[in-house]
Amino acid sequence: MKQSKLVCALGLGLAAMVSSATSMAQEQPNPNRVWVKFKQNNNTAAGALGKSASAIPLSLQQRVSALRNKLAASKAGDATVNFQFDKLNAAVLTLPSADAIKALRANPDVESVEIDYPRYPMAQSVPYGIDQVQARDAWDANRDGTIDAGAATGAGIKVCVIDSGINSTHEDFAGVALTGYPTGWNTDTCSHGTHVAGTIAAANNATGVVGVSPGKVSLHIIKIFGSNGYNGSSHGQCSWTYSSTLVDAAQRCASAGAKVINMSLGGANSSTTERNAFQTLANNGVLSIAAAGNSGNATLSYPASYPSVVSVAAVDQNNVKASFSQFNAEVELSGPGVDTLSTTPLANDPLVIGNSQFAANPIAGSRQTTASAGWVNGGLCTASSSTWRNKVVLCQRGTNTFNDKVTRVKTGGGLAMVVYNNVDGPLSAAFFNTATPPQPVTSTLPAVGISKADGETIIASLAGQTATVDATPSLSNVAYENKSGTSMATPHVAGAAAVVWSSKPTATAQQVLEALETTALDIDAAGRDNNTGWGLVQIPAAIAELQSQ
């Protein structure tokens, strides 16, 4: 691929996701937010406020105020007023606990109490990266939500995704042609593969997101990570496999008829045999695309840095190279890779403290189990304490690594760890060691990340409460998540290649690649550069270029 003058850039690296994930399902509805319906207004100011008061019926605002005062007097705590609906004789209150709800139901002025149930948008969102690579300009130019007649969509092209499998029952893969290997390819316990596949092929329906190819390409899934993945060990790992396993997977992609291979993965060392294997695939007309790596330096990673593999760097929504994206002479193209929204197979359970719930993200590498105990504030968790024994330890992000923090918690006898962010927003993290480059590690303790605001709330108001940490994600067919990494940029390019190729199925892989490179949006130094290669793929222009050949 890199033999042409336009194809002299490429690279990969550790392409596991950068810890910036935010699931749409993570922010849990508050179960203590309720509708309060008052009885018909036979109450009066005299009855509620004292005999000396007027006998004028109370307004809704007065009744709500009186209700809050009674709750406070009973030590059930204060209630937040969210809405007041005069015509409905009702208000919506967020209460401090389930006990406050019981007190509310016993109030003689209250007719009924109902949970304020959540409602979800019945619509599809378009992740920014889809329009950044101009996918809809190719197949939905008038933005009416339907596919334009005769448009290039990726139909007829098979893309092979070598990753952690796919949740084939996810709502956004309905109607997408799916095949795979080995047994268990249609499940995903790591979430990475499902996210990648969604960016390529999420269906153009009334829910979730839409992919670069709107449910039109066929996907062949080769599962090499996670349970049932064939990585040469007795148990599935989400963090690594062998280069031989990767070569075997790539050959299986070709045997299945895939024209494009997506590899959101990589490693620091090259292999002559692996290099030759990918060159053979290229000679046979397969376009292999891989992530440039997330180390944020100029090192080479493989397979992306082989001459026959396209290396993809990551840019943000402003077309600025992501800080984590590796840069070197092998980088060839760029794709959106910062906070990209796509499908995920898992929904995270909340952190529960007393009667309160907080959105929590299991820390990658933590033990997938549940622990329940009193909690203790461990500060930055830079040193163990005997007071942590048999406790859930709350740690603040900063100073030392997540892996060091959980090691300190374990040494202190803690049962679980909760890390709260030191900047605004949710926290998603992973355990890595101090090797160069850092390698993923696992812990025997369950551990989750929460937001800065939630951590501060816990410290300020929930002392002495029991904390339940659940680091076991639950299967979900309707979950979506933001992830960052060159892993996320790569499927934008793979999907783009499929859409462009479908406009001229007789084209060669080399012609498709040259069309993508020639028409890429130059977003860094003029011409090819080490940061972003030839630039950001632009699908309509690449289609026009390919058809002109």
Side-chain angles (χ1 to χ4, degrees), residues 118 142 153 170 173 178 235 238 260 283 307 412 545:
N142 61 0
T153 62
H170 194 287
F173 296 122
L178 299 172
H235 63 284
C238 291
V260 179
N283 295 343
E545 173 66 20

Side-chain angles (χ1 to χ4, degrees), residues 318-396:
N318 297 314
N319 288 341
V320 176
K321 184 190 80 70
S323 61
F324 54 77
S325 187
Q326 280 171 237
F327 49 93
N328 52 59
E330 302 303 323
V331 173
E332 201 159 354
L333 287 168
S334 298
V338 178
D339 289 335
T340 60
L341 183 65
S342 188
T343 48
T344 183
L346 307 171
N348 298 329
D349 293 316
L351 167 68
V352 179
I353 298 185
N355 293 307
S356 300
Q357 296 186 358
F358 303 92
N361 302 315
I363 295 177
S366 64
R367 184 181 179 187
Q368 293 192 357
T369 188
T370 301
S372 186
W375 69 273
V376 61
N377 184 1
L380 287 166
C381 294
T382 55
S384 301
S385 170
S386 59
T387 62
W388 297 358
R389 186 165 187 79
N390 296 324
K391 299 286 186 181
V392 172
V393 183
L394 180 66
C395 304
Q396 184 183 26

Side-chain angles (χ1 to χ4, degrees), residues 410-430:
K410 183 178 179 181
T411 300
L415 298 180
M417 180 177 75
V418 177
V419 182
Y420 67 98
N421 215 341
N422 55 1
V423 295
D424 290 339
L427 173 65
S428 182

Side-chain angles (χ1 to χ4, degrees), residues 17-36:
M17 64 179 176
V18 169
S19 57
S20 176
T22 307
S23 171
M24 293 175 64
Q26 287 167 0
E27 184 176 354
Q28 301 294 325
N30 191 333
N32 297 330
R33 176 166 163 150
V34 295
W35 283 92
V36 180

Side-chain angles (χ1 to χ4, degrees), residues 506-533:
T506 58
T508 66
Q510 185 65 34
Q511 289 174 325
V512 171
L513 178 58
E514 289 186 353
L516 289 169
E517 292 176 337
T518 302
T519 60
L521 177 64
D522 196 347
I523 55 178
D524 207 284
R528 202 218 70 85
D529 59 79
N530 288 357
N531 285 332
T532 60

